[in-house]
Amino acid sequence: MVKLLSRSFSRKMNSRCLFIGRRYYQLAQSINQSRLIHLNFRRSLATITDQSKLPIPEPKDCSKITPNYAKLVENLSIVQKRIFGGQPLTLAEKILYAHLWNSKEIGKIIKGETYLQLKPDRVAMQDASSQTVILQFMLAGMPETAVPTSIHCDHLIEAYEGGDKDVKTAEVTSKEIFDFLKSASEKYGIEFWKPGSGIIHQIVLENYAAPGSLMIGTDSHTPNAGGLGTIAIGVGGADAVDAMADIPWELKAPKIIGVKLTGKLNDWASPKDVILHLAGKLTVRGGTGHIIEYFGTGIETLSCTGMATICNMGAEVGATTSVFPFTSSMHSYLSATRRHPVAKQATSYASYLKADVNAHYDQIIEINLSELEPHINGPFTPDLSTPLSKFADFVTKNGWKDEIKAGLIGSCTNSSYQDMSRVTSLVAQALDKGVHPKSDFFITPGSDQIRATMERDGQTEILQKVGGRVLANACGPCIGQWKRTDIQGNEENAILTSFNRNFKNRNDGNPSTMNFLASPEIVTAMTFAGRLTFNPITDTLVDKDGKPFQFSNPSGDELPKHGFEKGREFYEPTQVSAGNPSTQIVIPPDSNRLQLLEPFPIWHGSEFHGLRVLIKVKGKCTTDHISAAGPWLKFKGHLENISNNTLIGALNADNEKVNVVRNVLTGEDGTIPEVARYYKENNIQWIVVADHNYGEGSAREHAALQVRYLGCPIIIARSFARIHETNLKKQGVLPLIFKNDDDYNLLSGGDIISTVGIIGLEPGKDVTIRIRKEKSDDKKKVEEFDILTKHTMSENQIEWFIMGSALNLIASKQKSTSI
Ligand code: MIC
Ligand code: SF4
């Protein structure tokens, strides 16, 4: 048999694969899986999968997930003719304009200026962010959601013992949240995915994403679905409420960055390296206001899941979303995940699913995949990108200890079958030579389907044989849900992960943990060395016989040869056709985790006077700094309680301290939430002054809700991250931007602020900020001056501000129609 199979491969591949295959065989035997031996053996040999030969499983009912292509194309052609005189458009523009609410009325579209009113096909939410969405949706008074919607329980599961055990624990510790979300799902006709079923973005890719469709999700990595040709945009909860309540969802027409891919990834390079490299080029702000659209001959060489990884991490450069045109690997993935009917339909609309010839990109970046080497990004920011060959020097120069404490692979970004089979090929090589990881090794499958397929194909056993711990199908350590036991206090240490984000404090609450981001293959190989300076491509380890051991290139199947194994049946979502108004939403009256929302007060109608600068923030201030996750995730449904974490990660420019500000009323220093509450109790409203890209990172609307709740009507920043800026607007907070960037330097904590220009606020009209500085030694010595700020509020958005929040506006409209 060995001879027979080997015939189809080149000589070089042959010997390597045969060798690994033999080991797979012995391993499988040693774990007594005789039925699997045969399969695994053959599978491990087949590093190159002929997609057309894959089995096509029985398709599922695709009626609700197949886009209405005929209607979309018709809508697009109206806009393309009326507004653009038939000129060619990029794929991203085509999909967005096909989803315009008002294609027949809309006037000129200017990218970067015009607000588009869109009708998304679908909404997805995760358990942490969906709590406030539901609480807000309840206020909107709708009987059911207007578009197909799903809830995924993935963030509230703490990684500790691994797999099912951790899910069981979460079912107890977060019972009231899951019960609340489940009952709300039943009431409003939402598909509910239980804890343990998988991570939102992986489940969406496996079940809902469809080429040419438009979806929004209350999580910044929603763009993952761009790997399947979907325009999928991360939004705050209030935006989701718009779509669910059948209200046009607004998005400023984005510009388009075209990324031209040529060549083919070689050996150790993986799709993750495309985005790690691009993040280095674009930086965390470079994608703001843009969609990243990939094109070029290189795209046909990528797997669908690999493209999803690239789109997922586009969130890290601030891009609105990322998207790939329809490819044959998307077709194969759709078929393998029982959506052949969608693939078939998409094939007949293939010209809609790619950019028009000669389409114009606002900027073009070229990447030759053949020349791309693996990259490692970090620490503390995802855009600090270093090629693997230079990484050892980088570590030495920084004087970091040459040690990796833990390697973590998987998560929503990188837990495809391809990722797992390539990783297993490396682990099998090491195991064969008796080489074991020097660091802790964790694996997070993205869904129960992936977990089940990995188990069936013997991958899990191999990973466990070297001590790998398979965690629940959930976010776990990626979002700080990690009961870490290997380090003490705030010890400086390094971890390597295939996740997408690496902000301070994120994974384990320790500000001295450095998270370096890399592909699953690189993370795994380096975990065996346990050293940051180890380069798996060039360096050797020592095997059990004291001989040098070097990893061969990773290899693996793009899709499972024998199809995906179905996950466990009880993880299937509840099937819904409509809402059930008689269902009671469960909120225990004495809960400290759920609290009904009170509408925010409407604008008082005057200029603001006597606002205090609570803090002038220095440098990076992500949503993790504004509303930390980890242990705080449990209070997502309780605004009052979660507000105790407001801005606790922010660095005060006045005293260079984190979470310490001067209370100007008492003259004493306190934590930010303490002082904010003190001002609130004393009827003093306050503002935040911030640096660039304020609110970078997640879609977390708590970062806006909390400041609003504690009495902040205005944030003045050098610039804002897109989702957070919208979240602030939605909650009735005015995001103002310094007209002159240097004016940031003129403000300090405790300054007294008033406004000129809020009365009569209009799109494009500047707002004057009057600053009064009291000298701390003598209150009579004051200095007063004006600076100018601009804003990006549309007429609609100004109405949200006037009404106190977007939700107040929806509720008032609901009321007037029901009278
Ligand atoms: C994240 O990756 O930061 C999160 C947790 O998934 C967030 C969502 C949240 O905070 O609710 C995101 O990316 O939007
Ligand atoms: Fe979950 Fe991490 Fe993905 Fe966010 S980035 S959805 S926390 S796995």
Side-chain angles (χ1 to χ4, degrees):
M1 184 183 61
V2 167
K3 270 188 197 147
L4 255 174
L5 281 165
S6 64
R7 253 178 234 143
S8 52
F9 295 93
S10 75
R11 244 203 198 134
K12 192 164 163 240
M13 282 301 268
N14 254 347
S15 56
R16 178 170 299 149
C17 293
L18 285 174
F19 159 75
I20 300 166
R22 216 169 277 137
R23 280 309 303 159
Y24 242 125
Y25 179 83
Q26 287 161 4
L27 282 166
Q29 227 175 12
S30 75
I31 51 180
N32 197 17
Q33 289 215 320
S34 46
R35 208 184 57 81
L36 289 173
I37 296 168
H38 202 64
L39 293 179
N40 289 336
F41 180 39
R42 288 184 17 208
R43 217 167 271 128
S44 66
L45 287 169
T47 52
I48 302 154
T49 312
D50 181 352
Q51 303 300 320
S52 61
K53 299 220 172 76
L54 289 172
I56 298 181
E58 188 65 26
K60 60 181 177 189
D61 174 10
C62 292
S63 52
K64 280 212 203 124
I65 53 173
T66 312
N68 186 341
Y69 287 118
K71 203 165 148 221
L72 291 174
V73 167
E74 190 192 319
N75 214 23
L76 171 63
S77 83
I78 295 173
V79 182
Q80 197 159 8
K81 268 191 216 125
R82 265 195 58 231
I83 312 294
F84 298 99
Q87 83 191 34
L89 295 173
T90 64
L91 171 65
E93 289 164 333
K94 285 165 78 173
I95 302 179
L96 281 180
Y97 303 156
H99 286 85
L100 274 172
W101 198 283
N102 48 351
S103 56
K104 295 197 177 124
E105 295 93 47
I106 189 169
K108 197 165 177 206
I109 297 177
I110 305 172
K111 286 190 273 179
E113 280 182 33
T114 312
Y115 277 94
L116 304 175
Q117 304 217 314
L118 299 162
K119 189 168 178 49
D121 300 308
R122 164 168 298 279
V123 175
M125 311 186 261
Q126 36 87 340
D127 49 0
S129 53
S130 57
Q131 297 172 47
T132 39
V133 180
I134 296 295
L135 290 166
Q136 295 180 77
F137 191 68
M138 283 163 71
L139 293 180
M142 301 273 300
E144 61 184 14
T145 65
V147 291
T149 302
S150 55
I151 289 184
H152 307 262
C153 298
D154 53 3
H155 281 60
L156 296 176
I157 301 162
E158 189 176 48
Y160 180 44
E161 292 180 273
D164 291 348
K165 285 192 190 146
D166 294 342
V167 175
K168 288 264 155 335
T169 310
E171 274 166 354
V172 177
T173 53
S174 288
K175 182 175 181 334
E176 59 186 300
I177 304 299
F178 299 140
D179 286 350
F180 164 69
L181 294 176
K182 188 162 185 275
S183 59
S185 298
E186 191 179 311
K187 187 177 183 75
Y188 297 126
I190 297 171
E191 285 197 356
F192 178 74
W193 292 76
K194 291 190 195 73
S197 55
I199 308 175
I200 175 169
H201 311 303
Q202 179 66 27
I203 298 279
V204 164
L205 194 73
E206 286 171 4
N207 294 277
Y208 300 128
S213 63
L214 170 69
M215 67 171 283
I216 56 174
T218 58
D219 191 285
S220 60
H221 294 109
T222 303
N224 192 66
L228 202 35
T230 306
I231 290 279
I233 302 181
V235 296
D239 283 48
V241 174
D242 286 350
M244 289 156 69
D246 213 17
I247 290 171
W249 171 66
E250 276 198 354
L251 176 76
K252 194 183 266 181
K255 294 188 176 163
I256 317 291
I257 298 176
V259 177
K260 184 175 179 190
L261 301 180
T262 55
K264 189 174 188 304
L265 291 169
N266 55 52
D267 306 337
W268 281 86
S270 77
K272 178 76 158 215
D273 298 304
V274 175
I275 189 65
L276 290 174
H277 166 69
L278 193 61
K281 284 194 150 198
L282 281 173
T283 80
V284 288
R285 288 201 283 143
T288 310
H290 289 80
I291 291 183
I292 303 178
E293 178 173 321
Y294 292 84
F295 67 102
T297 49
I299 55 173
E300 273 298 339
T301 66
L302 296 172
S303 63
C304 171
T305 48
M307 296 190 279
T309 296
I310 296 173
C311 292
N312 178 305
M313 239 193 107
E316 270 50 68
V317 296
T320 303
T321 191
S322 304
V323 71
F324 278 85
F326 186 51
T327 64
S328 55
S329 65
M330 289 185 195
H331 191 292
S332 309
Y333 186 76
L334 282 168
S335 304
T337 50
R338 301 168 58 222
R339 289 172 289 171
H340 193 58
V342 179
K344 215 169 141 201
Q345 277 280 312
T347 308
S348 18
Y349 285 91
S351 62
Y352 162 57
L353 299 173
K354 61 177 184 210
D356 294 335
V357 179
N358 292 331
H360 167 76
Y361 293 97
D362 296 285
Q363 184 187 338
I364 292 189
I365 297 174
E366 285 199 36
I367 300 177
N368 182 347
L369 299 176
S370 313
E371 287 168 6
L372 191 69
E373 73 163 303
H375 281 63
I376 301 184
N377 289 20
F380 304 130
T381 185
D383 56 351
L384 183 56
S385 188
T386 312
L388 178 63
S389 55
K390 304 211 166 66
F391 192 67
D393 276 355
F394 176 62
V395 170
T396 316
K397 259 189 218 131
N398 280 286
W400 292 319
K401 189 168 170 194
D402 191 10
E403 184 188 39
I404 300 168
K405 278 286 193 186
L408 299 101
I409 59 165
S411 91
C412 70
T413 329
N414 270 107
S415 64
S416 65
Y417 188 80
Q418 186 177 35
D419 289 332
M420 293 304 160
S421 54
R422 279 170 66 86
V423 159
T424 309
S425 77
L426 293 172
V427 174
Q429 295 172 36
L431 196 53
D432 179 55
K433 293 288 177 186
V435 181
H436 279 68
K438 295 273 179 324
S439 324
D440 289 342
F441 183 37
F442 298 96
I443 303 102
T444 303
S447 70
D448 204 47
Q449 172 173 293
I450 284 286
R451 180 210 52 78
T453 313
M454 284 171 66
E455 270 177 26
R456 183 203 61 197
D457 291 355
Q459 297 170 345
T460 308
E461 283 79 356
I462 307 250
L463 299 175
Q464 285 173 336
K465 273 234 139 183
V466 297
R469 180 174 288 182
V470 180
L471 302 174
N473 314 314
C475 302
C478 179
I479 192 54
Q481 292 280 42
W482 184 14
K483 204 165 171 184
R484 198 172 170 191
T485 49
D486 64 319
I487 51 159
Q488 302 301 316
N490 284 355
E491 190 187 314
E492 182 173 285
N493 74 102
I495 59 173
L496 222 64
T497 77
S498 72
F499 304 162
N500 44 27
R501 213 160 254 174
N502 55 359
F503 303 142
K504 232 177 218 171
N505 280 316
R506 181 175 168 93
N507 304 102
D508 56 4
N510 173 4
S512 310
T513 294
M514 298 184 283
N515 175 358
F516 294 96
L517 308 168
S519 68
E521 296 90 322
I522 294 295
V523 173
T524 304
M526 287 178 69
T527 299
F528 276 84
R531 287 189 288 111
L532 284 172
T533 54
F534 176 74
N535 179 344
I537 303 182
T538 52
D539 300 349
T540 52
L541 298 172
V542 179
D543 76 7
K544 61 175 186 311
D545 304 319
K547 292 204 186 107
F549 161 74
Q550 186 169 16
F551 282 106
S552 308
N553 299 338
S555 60
D557 284 338
E558 184 175 319
L559 290 168
K561 276 254 185 22
H562 296 271
F564 281 109
E565 185 75 2
K566 268 197 189 171
R568 286 164 285 183
E569 211 164 299
F570 60 87
Y571 281 140
E572 290 285 307
T574 44
Q575 286 308 316
V576 286
S577 47
N580 181 357
S582 65
T583 308
Q584 289 297 317
I585 296 186
V586 190
I587 302 188
D590 53 349
S591 174
N592 71 348
R593 295 189 58 182
L594 286 166
Q595 179 190 44
L596 289 173
L597 284 177
E598 288 290 325
F600 290 129
I602 61 167
W603 173 50
H604 45 47
S606 328
E607 295 293 344
F608 290 98
H609 295 288
L611 307 173
R612 286 285 181 166
V613 176
L614 173 69
I615 177 171
K616 174 169 151 184
V617 181
K618 183 173 173 187
K620 208 176 193 53
C621 192
T622 71
T623 49
D624 276 292
H625 296 77
I626 309 170
S627 174
W632 293 95
L633 281 180
K634 61 176 171 296
F635 295 123
K636 285 267 189 174
H638 201 292
L639 187 53
E640 193 181 328
N641 287 345
I642 200 169
S643 293
N644 289 332
N645 79 357
T646 306
L647 284 157
I648 59 175
L651 178 66
N652 187 342
D654 298 328
N655 59 15
E656 297 281 335
K657 288 184 186 157
V658 173
N659 194 22
V660 181
V661 286
R662 175 66 43 93
N663 180 333
V664 286
L665 299 184
T666 63
E668 316 238 307
D669 282 351
T671 68
I672 298 173
E674 268 167 19
V675 177
R677 270 192 203 275
Y678 192 93
Y679 288 172
K680 181 178 162 131
E681 278 153 21
N682 288 280
N683 296 321
I684 292 187
Q685 288 192 299
W686 48 270
I687 72 160
V688 173
V689 172
D691 219 317
H692 274 299
N693 213 18
Y694 180 75
E696 173 188 340
S698 77
R700 208 167 294 179
E701 71 177 342
H702 289 79
L705 278 165
Q706 292 172 217
V707 296
R708 172 75 161 114
Y709 172 75
L710 290 176
C712 169
I714 294 176
I715 309 259
I716 312 176
R718 280 178 152 158
S719 62
F720 288 93
R722 173 190 63 89
I723 307 180
H724 186 60
E725 186 180 20
T726 311
N727 284 346
L728 288 170
K729 292 173 180 174
K730 287 266 175 189
Q731 302 305 340
V733 181
L734 264 180
L736 298 179
I737 302 156
F738 291 107
K739 258 206 125 166
N740 171 6
D741 210 69
D742 290 342
D743 285 351
Y744 166 86
N745 299 322
L746 301 177
L747 281 125
S748 328
D751 287 351
I752 304 169
I753 304 293
S754 34
T755 58
V756 183
I758 302 290
I759 297 177
L761 188 66
E762 277 173 25
K765 200 169 146 201
D766 296 342
V767 175
T768 301
I769 297 291
R770 183 148 299 159
I771 300 153
R772 186 180 154 92
K773 285 181 173 289
E774 283 172 352
K775 301 281 171 229
S776 50
D777 44 343
D778 179 358
K779 290 229 155 119
K780 282 187 206 117
K781 263 205 217 151
V782 289
E783 194 192 334
E784 235 181 46
F785 55 90
D786 289 355
I787 60 163
L788 270 186
T789 62
K790 53 188 181 177
H791 67 88
T792 61
M793 309 270 281
S794 65
E795 254 162 51
N796 244 352
Q797 295 172 341
I798 291 173
E799 259 191 274
W800 303 342
F801 168 74
I802 292 171
M803 291 304 293
S805 72
L807 192 67
N808 287 354
L809 184 68
I810 301 179
S812 75
K813 285 188 180 157
Q814 277 292 117
K815 242 185 243 151
S816 56
T817 43
S818 56
I819 289 169

